[in-house]
Amino acid sequence: MINTDDFLRRLFKAEGKQWREGNGDNDSGWDSGAGNGGMMRGRIKFPRVALAALLLVLVVTLCFSGVIDFYTDLLWFSSHGLSSVLWRRILPQVALFAVGLTVTFAVYNFNWRRAARIGNDEFRSMTGLYDAILVRPLYVTIFAALISLFSGFGANLYWPVVLQFLHRVPFGETDAVFGMDVGFYVFTLPFVHIIQKWLANMALFSLLGSAVIYLLCKALRSEGTRIVLVKRARLHLFALSSFFIFLVGIGLWLSRYELLYSPTGIVYGVGYTDFYVRLPALAIISLATVAASMLLLVNFFRPMWKLSAILLVLLLVAGFLAYSLIPSIVQNYIVKPNEYEREKHFIDNHIRATRHAFAFDKITTMQMTPMQEVSISDMDVNSETVENIRLWDYSPLLRTYKQLQEIRTYYDFADIDIDRYKLDGKNRQVMLSVRELDLGHLQNPTWVNTHLEFTHGYGVVMNPVNEIEESGLPVFFMKDLPPRTTVPIVIDRPQIYFGEKPNEYALVKTDVNEFDYPTGDSNSRSTYDGTGGVEVGSLLRRILFAIKFRDSEILFTGAIRPESMILLHRNVRESIREIAPFLILEEDIYPVIIDGHILWIQDAYTVTDLYPYSSPMSRQIAIQSGLAPYSNVNYIRNSVKITVDAYDGTMNFYTADREDPILKSWSGVFPELFKPVSEAPEEVLAHFRYPEEYFEVQSEIYRTYHMTDTNTYYNREDVWMTTPQGQDRRIRPNYVTMQLLDEGDPEFALIAPFMPFGRNNLIGWMAARCDVENYGELIVYQFPKQELVFGPSQIEALIDQNTVISSQISLWSQRGSDVIRGDLLVIPIGKSLLYVQPLYLRAERGDLPELKRIILSTGGRVAWGETFDKAVTELFGVSVMPPPVVEEPVSPPETPTQEKPELDEALLRLAKDAKEHYDKAQKAIKSGDWTTFGIELDILGEILEAIAED
């Protein structure tokens, strides 16, 4: 406890006063010093000028740095035509800072200065020093201003909540407990919580600060066993306490809504005990708290402490028992003995909310009885699917790209992506990567090299998903420097100024010619010709950017021209976050080639963790899908598609889900940012694909919430898995070209299989449609439970049991080769399933994987081959047959006949026809033309039957 007398003794010792100890009849006090009629002398002198100067320098420095950052950001936003987006973010932050600072300062300053005035008055009346000022109002004001600064800075962090509240839109769905629209919980309730907590914090700090001042001034003190509080101070503190307790009661009332996110029951959200016990208990406690605040204020004017205390204790005890003890009794003795019947209604609420929150309410479910195995006719009918089976795994192919196509150490491939293009009238799936610049591996990283000369990557490498050279390497559609292509895809702007890798700023259109790519003993060079970038030719802007980057070379270099530009935020994801920090970005961003330009396509999500009754993602799901920071999310939509030009950084934000209320809210905040997806060029729309992370989240949630029957869900009778039993890695979704719903042309889709919990056979699979006409539709094919359909791990076991395959793998391993088994793909072919697994070899000391075998399986049979065609031939028993051989007829000289030569001539003609059709069939296999292969095989069969009959 503070010893006020000691404090005052030390303080006034510097003022020339002498302390007079009390001796029974006389109180302790201060004797007047000599001179000036007893007025205080020798005031403590503070270095006020130095302190003020230091604070001024600090404030000016911070403001100057902030102004420069803001102005350069404004220049960058303006270069993209989005300056209004920055202003719509900054102005609300400034307004919130001003409101938070002003209101908090006014409240703190008013209460603390009032406490100082009352306390000083009490101190003067106690000491008889009528000119003494113990707590100076100026210091109180300065302290209030400093504390309010923190409040202002804290307030501007809530700009997204405030803007969404001001532009709130209804979801069109209501919760099953309070009957409120979901928009109330997503947009309104967070704003109300902020206001309640802000007011409560102000009341609490005003109360604590005032109490400390009263203690210092002895307006609040202890006298023996009594606590003495002067009347005016008592009224002040009672009012503040009453207001604080009232706000606590409001917070308890609002906490009733938080039961919609309760994880304590068998479902996420309000359960039986929550609804019938905890909700009323919270209402009682909140009302008791509000009543306590009123009684506290009333007792100042009309004391009735005993009655008030009895009433408050009864209410609080009743509320406490109702919230802590009674719920456990109800749960154990009323709910558990008949849990399903008690919870059935609440389970249904939970299922419906979760399915809507993760976009399952419009899913198409189909029952399908799969055939035992794929047939040649299935391969024939689904030839486009077969021709687009992905034989190259991402990781081995990336290593191959790095070994064969990086060309120089300062180039790098960030990752491999998959897409589809229309080539020769057919949809072809391809894998591709962009050759980006890696400044970290420059051999001479001078300032000129880093910022003026080596400014961009160059070109794209592309290969079809299903073609292999004899050496086991990919067949390249695009490769080398300068880029060479074997397909009708043209790149007019191969320079990569904006990409996936982190890059520093670049100065372009300077006197230094930029490096393109090496050509023999010299280098190819070019000059940036885009419109993206911020002009930096003027002296003022050079000074500003030199200060921003703390890089004086920008100011003093002689390479900058009047038309020179600076390229900022060259990492695509970074630039998108600068403009739209409220969007959650898919980790995988992929390049497409359109009209000679390389565009990056970025998927973005809108999310919330405030959807009532919806189950949030588990942390495991969030980590597996790349959304680890958002593991509490219980609503997600792939609402935005963003394109970024790799050459000049031009950005377009398209609304992929026009029905998403969260995106509607942000569109109201930033109307000039988002464009309807209908405004996207057709060429861009053709390359949109369903994002893999989003699909992984949905498939993980769906494996439980495909159960819509409450009893089935309660008993967990039909939970599925996406990770095979005994393994720790889920089956990665696979992009395929296939026919869905048994109608229309083959389409690009993302699929993933499901297995029953604790089993390794398949129970079904989910497909997400990617083509424009049906984009975003989800289809689930469900197999009969009584049918055995092999799962991936069971197929891998069959492969391991194959003596030919296992012995060859062992032999390769003994010779020092690293055998890499690729992902096992489950490919729907008609109503059957084909399992495909590539097998790679890598030298023990090398890093160049070669695709050496393709393993195929269907109907429990396993075969492999050096190519997909050979594996198919091996699997279906179509071996390389020699043409039928017909011997020359030998006629006895003594009994020649005319009929025999005619018969031999007919057989010879049939044999020639058989050979001709056999050759055509072999040619069709090599070209992957399964339609022609099937036709020629049927004709060959008819010819052989004719020969057999003859």
Side-chain angles (χ1 to χ4, degrees):
M1 181 178 293
I2 297 174
N3 190 322
T4 310
D5 288 347
D6 289 343
F7 172 77
L8 294 175
R9 182 183 295 109
R10 290 193 297 269
L11 176 64
F12 281 92
K13 187 176 182 180
E15 301 288 344
K17 301 294 182 180
Q18 299 296 322
W19 179 257
R20 181 183 69 248
E21 299 290 347
N23 54 5
D25 296 332
N26 298 320
D27 291 334
S28 302
W30 297 94
D31 287 331
S32 300
N36 201 23
M39 297 294 290
M40 289 189 252
R41 300 180 304 169
R43 295 183 182 275
I44 300 173
K45 296 182 179 180
F46 295 98
R48 297 179 182 177
V49 176
L51 179 61
L54 180 62
L55 289 175
L56 181 62
V57 170
L58 179 62
V59 171
V60 169
T61 301
L62 292 176
C63 292
F64 184 66
S65 177
V67 168
I68 289 177
D69 286 339
F70 169 73
Y71 183 69
T72 52
D73 286 344
L74 180 60
L75 292 175
W76 182 74
F77 273 79
S78 299
S79 70
H80 287 282
L82 296 173
S83 59
S84 59
V85 172
L86 181 61
W87 284 114
R88 287 176 180 270
R89 273 172 43 193
I90 293 298
L91 292 180
Q93 292 182 57
V94 172
L96 287 174
F97 174 81
V99 171
L101 174 65
T102 304
V103 174
T104 307
F105 172 74
V107 171
Y108 290 164
N109 191 53
F110 170 79
N111 284 284
W112 294 344
R113 285 180 69 103
R114 179 177 177 81
R117 184 167 61 252
I118 295 173
N120 285 327
D121 289 347
E122 178 65 17
F123 174 73
R124 285 191 288 265
S125 66
M126 289 175 57
T127 61
L129 302 173
Y130 298 104
D131 294 326
I133 301 177
L134 185 61
V135 178
R136 297 187 178 278
L138 176 61
Y139 295 160
V140 169
T141 299
I142 293 174
F143 186 72
L146 291 175
I147 297 299
S148 300
L149 277 174
F150 292 101
S151 179
F153 285 122
N156 73 3
L157 298 177
Y158 292 105
W159 67 268
V161 177
V162 175
L163 289 180
Q164 284 197 291
F165 169 73
L166 296 176
H167 296 84
R168 59 193 180 276
V169 295
F171 270 66
E173 298 283 334
T174 58
D175 77 277
V177 176
F178 299 101
M180 305 291 288
D181 186 88
V182 174
F184 168 76
Y185 301 97
V186 176
F187 302 125
T188 304
L189 194 57
F191 177 77
V192 175
H193 270 301
I194 290 173
I195 298 299
Q196 181 266 333
K197 291 178 180 178
W198 180 46
L199 293 176
N201 286 335
M202 280 195 296
L204 178 62
F205 280 102
S206 296
L207 174 64
L208 294 176
S210 299
V212 169
I213 292 173
Y214 288 137
L215 277 171
L216 290 175
C217 298
K218 284 200 164 186
L220 173 62
R221 62 186 182 273
S222 63
E223 293 183 353
T225 59
R226 290 191 314 124
I227 301 295
V228 176
L229 181 63
V230 299
K231 184 176 181 180
R232 288 193 299 166
R234 184 167 66 249
L235 176 60
H236 185 202
L237 293 183
F238 274 31
L240 289 174
S241 300
S242 176
F243 186 56
F244 172 70
I245 296 173
F246 173 78
L247 291 170
V248 171
I250 297 299
L252 289 170
W253 181 264
L254 295 176
S255 67
R256 295 161 57 250
Y257 298 113
E258 294 178 4
L259 289 176
L260 291 169
Y261 316 106
S262 171
T264 57
I266 64 170
V267 297
Y268 185 85
V270 173
Y272 182 91
T273 304
D274 295 321
F275 186 79
Y276 290 103
V277 181
R278 289 193 175 93
L279 271 178
L282 279 174
I284 292 173
I285 295 174
S286 63
L287 292 175
T289 306
V290 172
S293 70
M294 301 300 180
L295 287 174
L296 184 64
L297 196 59
V298 169
N299 272 279
F300 176 81
F301 300 99
R302 186 176 180 181
M304 45 182 180
W305 293 105
K306 291 184 179 179
L307 177 62
S308 301
I310 293 173
L311 290 176
L312 288 176
V313 168
L314 287 176
L315 283 173
L316 291 174
V317 168
F320 175 77
L321 292 176
Y323 194 76
S324 59
L325 181 63
I326 296 178
S328 61
I329 296 174
V330 172
Q331 185 68 29
N332 290 320
Y333 297 102
I334 297 179
V335 176
K336 281 190 175 180
N338 194 16
E339 190 172 48
Y340 172 68
E341 290 298 326
R342 301 287 187 188
E343 301 282 7
K344 178 170 60 175
H345 172 68
F346 304 101
I347 293 173
D348 183 62
N349 295 339
H350 171 66
I351 293 174
R352 287 189 292 105
T354 303
R355 287 177 62 88
H356 183 269
F358 289 94
F360 298 149
D361 48 348
K362 296 180 181 179
I363 202 168
T364 300
T365 304
M366 296 186 65
Q367 301 294 327
M368 186 179 78
T369 302
M371 305 296 291
Q372 289 296 322
E373 63 179 37
V374 176
S375 65
I376 282 292
S377 60
D378 292 329
M379 303 279 281
D380 179 17
V381 173
N382 297 275
S383 59
E384 192 165 336
T385 299
V386 174
E387 292 169 2
N388 286 287
I389 293 176
R390 178 174 60 83
L391 304 181
W392 288 99
D393 268 18
Y394 296 94
S395 180
L397 184 60
L398 180 60
R399 290 201 292 268
T400 301
Y401 273 28
K402 288 177 177 289
Q403 289 293 312
L404 300 180
Q405 287 295 313
E406 279 188 354
I407 311 297
R408 293 289 188 272
T409 58
Y410 42 76
Y411 287 128
D412 190 25
F413 295 102
D415 64 359
I416 299 291
D417 295 291
I418 190 168
D419 199 5
R420 72 281 196 195
Y421 289 82
K422 200 84 169 179
L423 301 175
D424 298 329
K426 293 184 178 181
N427 288 319
R428 294 294 304 272
Q429 284 184 219
V430 299
M431 305 183 80
L432 71 164
S433 186
V434 169
R435 187 184 290 105
E436 295 192 60
L437 186 66
D438 186 357
L439 293 174
H441 287 85
L442 280 178
Q443 295 180 356
N444 186 25
T446 64
W447 185 85
V448 172
N449 283 345
T450 303
H451 298 287
L452 275 70
E453 186 166 357
F454 289 86
T455 58
H456 56 269
Y458 203 91
V460 172
V461 177
M462 178 189 294
N463 69 284
V465 296
N466 65 328
E467 293 188 23
I468 315 163
E469 290 184 349
E470 292 183 2
S471 61
L473 298 176
V475 174
F476 289 110
F477 280 174
M478 291 185 178
K479 63 177 182 177
D480 297 342
L481 290 171
R484 292 189 297 157
T485 178
T486 61
V487 291
I489 301 177
V490 180
I491 304 180
D492 298 325
R493 293 291 192 185
Q495 293 88 351
I496 313 297
Y497 286 91
F498 298 85
E500 293 185 80
K501 298 188 71 63
N503 273 317
E504 299 186 28
Y505 69 87
L507 292 166
V508 295
K509 297 185 179 180
T510 66
D511 288 334
V512 177
N513 290 329
E514 301 166 43
F515 174 86
D516 266 349
Y517 55 86
T519 56
D521 295 333
S522 61
N523 296 320
S524 176
R525 298 180 178 274
S526 66
T527 299
Y528 178 74
D529 192 32
T531 58
V534 178
E535 293 183 357
V536 73
S538 67
L539 178 61
L540 175 60
R541 291 194 177 182
R542 290 169 66 177
I543 293 173
L544 291 175
F545 282 106
I547 295 174
K548 178 182 179 66
F549 293 109
R550 295 172 176 82
D551 190 346
S552 61
E553 295 287 351
I554 298 176
L555 179 60
F556 296 112
T557 181
I560 293 181
R561 302 172 180 173
E563 67 272 17
S564 294
M565 308 179 80
I566 185 169
L567 304 182
L568 308 171
H569 305 302
R570 298 202 293 139
N571 178 273
V572 171
R573 293 166 60 83
E574 176 193 339
S575 63
I576 293 173
R577 286 195 181 101
E578 284 290 323
I579 290 178
F582 47 85
L583 295 177
I584 309 303
L585 304 183
E586 166 102 353
E587 281 194 355
D588 186 26
I589 181 172
Y590 61 99
V592 299
I593 303 170
I594 297 175
D595 294 334
H597 282 243
I598 301 170
L599 298 183
W600 296 101
I601 296 183
Q602 171 73 69
D603 286 284
Y605 309 123
T606 51
V607 302
T608 184
D609 58 355
L610 298 173
Y611 197 99
Y613 257 126
S614 174
S615 177
M617 293 187 294
S618 67
R619 180 160 181 80
Q620 181 181 3
I621 295 174
I623 291 174
Q624 289 177 347
S625 59
L627 297 172
Y630 313 102
S631 57
N632 59 338
V633 162
N634 65 356
Y635 172 95
I636 184 171
R637 288 292 187 274
N638 175 217
S639 299
V640 183
K641 300 281 189 179
I642 306 164
T643 63
V644 181
D645 194 301
Y647 186 77
D648 62 12
T650 300
M651 285 183 277
N652 289 289
F653 291 72
Y654 298 108
T655 56
D657 186 349
R658 293 176 296 176
E659 302 303 319
D660 175 32
I662 297 180
L663 181 60
K664 287 182 179 179
S665 174
W666 286 121
S667 297
V669 177
F670 305 109
E672 63 287 334
L673 178 59
F674 299 102
K675 302 177 182 178
V677 73
S678 57
E679 294 185 11
E682 292 184 6
E683 295 82 0
V684 172
L685 292 173
H687 288 278
F688 282 168
R689 69 184 194 191
Y690 206 83
E692 191 172 336
E693 288 178 7
Y694 184 45
F695 186 73
E696 287 184 347
V697 169
Q698 288 182 305
S699 59
E700 283 290 339
I701 299 293
Y702 188 77
R703 67 188 187 86
T704 300
Y705 291 92
H706 71 91
M707 297 180 289
T708 56
D709 178 73
T710 55
N711 194 20
T712 304
Y713 177 89
Y714 173 76
N715 293 309
R716 295 296 196 271
E717 294 176 5
D718 194 21
V719 177
W720 296 348
M721 300 188 306
T722 57
T723 302
Q725 185 78 6
Q727 298 184 16
D728 56 0
R729 189 168 67 94
R730 75 189 310 278
I731 299 174
R732 181 174 180 174
N734 181 38
Y735 288 100
V736 299
T737 299
M738 62 179 296
Q739 187 183 54
L740 293 169
L741 300 178
D742 298 327
E743 60 184 24
D745 297 326
E747 55 186 285
F748 194 57
L750 182 62
I751 67 171
F754 293 111
M755 293 146 286
F757 183 79
R759 302 283 300 278
N760 280 326
N761 59 289
L762 290 186
I763 192 64
W765 52 276
M766 176 188 284
R769 308 176 85 170
C770 298
D771 288 349
V772 177
E773 298 81 5
N774 305 300
Y775 181 85
E777 294 180 8
L778 294 177
I779 303 171
V780 172
Y781 290 84
Q782 191 167 346
F783 303 150
K785 297 179 181 179
Q786 65 273 15
E787 294 285 339
L788 174 62
V789 181
F790 287 116
S793 60
Q794 293 172 325
I795 295 299
E796 288 189 342
L798 290 176
I799 294 172
D800 293 337
Q801 294 167 11
N802 187 287
T803 56
V804 175
I805 296 176
S806 60
S807 61
Q808 183 61 58
I809 291 176
S810 299
L811 181 61
W812 280 328
S813 299
Q814 292 171 5
R815 292 178 178 177
S817 296
D818 185 11
V819 180
I820 303 171
R821 292 174 67 164
D823 292 337
L824 181 66
L825 306 181
V826 182
I827 309 296
I829 305 290
K831 292 188 177 182
S832 305
L833 297 175
L834 179 68
Y835 304 85
V836 183
Q837 185 176 49
L839 192 147
Y840 308 88
L841 286 185
R842 184 179 60 184
E844 187 176 6
R845 297 182 180 180
D847 197 26
L848 182 62
E850 298 177 356
L851 204 166
K852 288 299 184 183
R853 294 291 188 274
I854 307 297
I855 303 173
L856 302 180
S857 179
T858 188
R861 296 182 292 110
V862 176
W864 73 346
E866 295 178 359
T867 65
F868 185 84
D869 302 332
K870 291 180 179 180
V872 168
T873 301
E874 186 70 23
L875 182 65
F876 292 103
V878 181
S879 60
V880 180
M881 300 182 300
V885 177
V886 181
E887 296 182 356
E888 290 291 336
V890 179
S891 300
E894 64 278 7
T895 56
T897 61
Q898 299 297 320
E899 289 77 7
K900 189 69 175 180
E902 292 179 1
L903 180 61
D904 293 340
E905 184 178 349
L907 287 173
L908 185 59
R909 185 171 62 253
L910 289 172
K912 290 180 178 179
D913 291 343
K915 177 65 168 61
E916 178 183 352
H917 289 289
Y918 172 79
D919 290 340
K920 290 181 179 179
Q922 289 297 310
K923 185 177 180 181
I925 289 178
K926 293 180 180 179
S927 63
D929 188 353
W930 296 103
T931 302
T932 304
F933 172 75
I935 295 173
E936 296 298 332
L937 196 63
D938 292 340
I939 295 174
L940 180 60
E942 295 175 358
I943 294 174
L944 293 176
E945 289 179 3
I947 293 175
E949 291 175 358
D950 290 342

